Amino acid sequence: MALNILIVDDSVTVRAVIKRTLEMAGVPVGTVHQAANGEEALAVLAKEWVDLVFTDLNMPVMDGVAFVERMSASDLLKTIPVIVVSTDGSAVRIEQLKAKGVRAFVHKPFTPELLRKVVSDTVGV
Amino acid sequence: MNSQREGAVKKVFCEMLEKCAFIFAETAAKDEIDDVAGEYVCVAMSFSGAWRGTMQLALPRPLCAVIAANMLGLEPDDEEAAQAQDDAVKELLNVTCGNVLTTLAGTEAVFSLSAPKTQVLPAAEWKALLQSPESVGFTVEEQPALLRLTIDDEAGAHHG
């Protein structure tokens, strides 16, 4: 099953790196949607079918925490698995995010092997 | 900068450059990198939370293109890499700053990082950054780079 993925990060470089790393890791990728912040991401989710979301935390307009909270408040969106990709190394923040429904956390920088394992553990693909 | 912070900055920057862009950096004595020519770029960001402070990265414009190309898996003269220069060095600083803070403060500390901003760096400001006791010099692809970390609250000074 190919996964339709949404990558949310204000850095176009990071979005490209995540997309390329998923492909290098052999993750079955279908359509890759991109958004520069949480608000843009919610607009994508309102009209596209997405199987898995990767999101940064530190973004303008709507940051990753607010985005995750908006997703978890929606009956439709809260079932979509969310993986946070961030430089944030705080164990406290990771636990807070998991309590809000985040399924996994990837600390930057990451390897294709790590990303593959996290995707496999999260969605079983 | 105290030796613990300096050690963390040196180690983490070299690791991040290698892991993100597959480029090897070496620490450099400041008198080896004081001769500047061409355009330089400075990327800066701040952090708050457990500690408050700033991190700045200064490097020559051509090196930004190399870093962007390597991060994206493109050739340095690729148009996409050229357009992503500023974005790529912002991300390099963002990753470096986050990892330096985790190295120094541990995983229990919580920080908020600002969005990095870039600006062209006049030669006089390169000299000022070079002379700062809080900056560390590197050579990257035979080009100079400077990374400066300031931590300006008492908790940071005490722990770091």
Side-chain angles (χ1 to χ4, degrees):
Chain A
M1 181 188 83
L3 297 170
N4 291 336
I5 288 170
L6 170 60
I7 303 172
V8 191
D9 199 304
D10 55 325
S11 165
V12 66
T13 303
V14 174
R15 299 200 302 264
V17 168
I18 292 173
K19 180 175 183 285
R20 190 165 66 100
T21 306
L22 287 168
E23 291 165 351
M24 285 169 60
V27 173
V29 175
T31 302
V32 177
H33 304 282
Q34 300 189 27
N37 57 63
E39 193 170 287
E40 284 186 15
L42 289 170
V44 171
L45 290 169
K47 61 183 181 182
E48 304 287 350
W49 180 267
V50 170
D51 301 301
L52 180 61
V53 173
F54 290 90
T55 185
D56 187 19
L57 294 178
N58 187 23
M59 296 180 287
V61 184
M62 181 189 290
D63 66 19
V65 175
F67 170 54
V68 167
E69 286 172 343
R70 289 282 294 273
M71 283 188 71
S72 64
S74 160
D75 287 340
L76 190 63
L77 300 182
K78 69 182 178 187
T79 59
I80 302 173
V82 176
I83 298 172
V84 167
V85 182
S86 173
T87 60
D88 196 325
S90 164
V92 175
R93 182 158 286 153
I94 291 170
E95 286 310 309
Q96 288 172 343
L97 288 164
K98 287 187 173 173
K100 292 178 191 294
V102 168
R103 297 278 290 275
F105 188 94
V106 174
H107 189 250
K108 294 182 196 170
F110 50 81
T111 62
E113 293 76 17
L114 174 63
L115 216 52
R116 181 77 181 89
K117 182 179 186 310
V118 171
V119 171
S120 177
D121 291 348
T122 304
V123 294
V125 173
Chain B
M1 191 179 338
N2 70 34
S3 61
Q4 184 192 10
R5 288 181 194 168
E6 186 174 333
V9 165
K10 287 176 176 176
K11 179 174 182 290
V12 171
F13 179 68
C14 291
E15 281 182 3
M16 294 306 110
L17 201 52
E18 183 181 346
K19 289 180 177 175
C20 294
F22 312 104
I23 292 171
F24 294 97
E26 294 179 345
T27 55
K30 289 186 175 178
D31 59 2
E32 294 173 7
I33 55 171
D34 63 351
D35 187 18
V36 294
E39 184 175 304
Y40 277 64
V41 174
C42 183
V43 200
M45 64 188 294
S46 60
F47 53 86
S48 58
W51 303 342
R52 183 177 297 276
T54 61
M55 186 172 271
Q56 293 168 280
L57 172 64
L59 66 181
R61 172 63 75 186
L63 185 54
C64 299
V66 174
I67 290 169
N70 278 32
M71 287 175 80
L72 293 166
L74 302 169
E75 294 298 320
D77 57 357
D78 189 291
E79 182 60 27
E80 188 181 343
Q83 290 179 357
Q85 283 180 35
D86 283 6
D87 192 64
V89 291
K90 283 180 188 176
E91 178 57 17
L92 176 63
L93 182 68
N94 183 45
V95 175
T96 301
C97 187
N99 281 276
V100 164
L101 292 174
T102 302
T103 299
L104 289 172
T107 57
E108 294 304 310
V110 179
F111 291 98
S112 294
L113 308 183
S114 75
K117 293 180 178 172
T118 57
Q119 65 174 57
V120 173
L121 189 72
E125 290 188 27
W126 170 271
K127 295 281 187 189
L129 202 55
L130 187 75
Q131 288 162 6
S132 165
E134 292 153 327
S135 68
V136 177
F138 298 89
T139 52
V140 183
E141 300 273 298
E142 299 180 350
Q143 298 183 70
L146 283 171
L147 189 62
R148 179 172 183 247
L149 170 67
T150 66
I151 298 176
D152 53 28
D153 71 357
E154 288 187 5
H158 181 71
H159 287 104

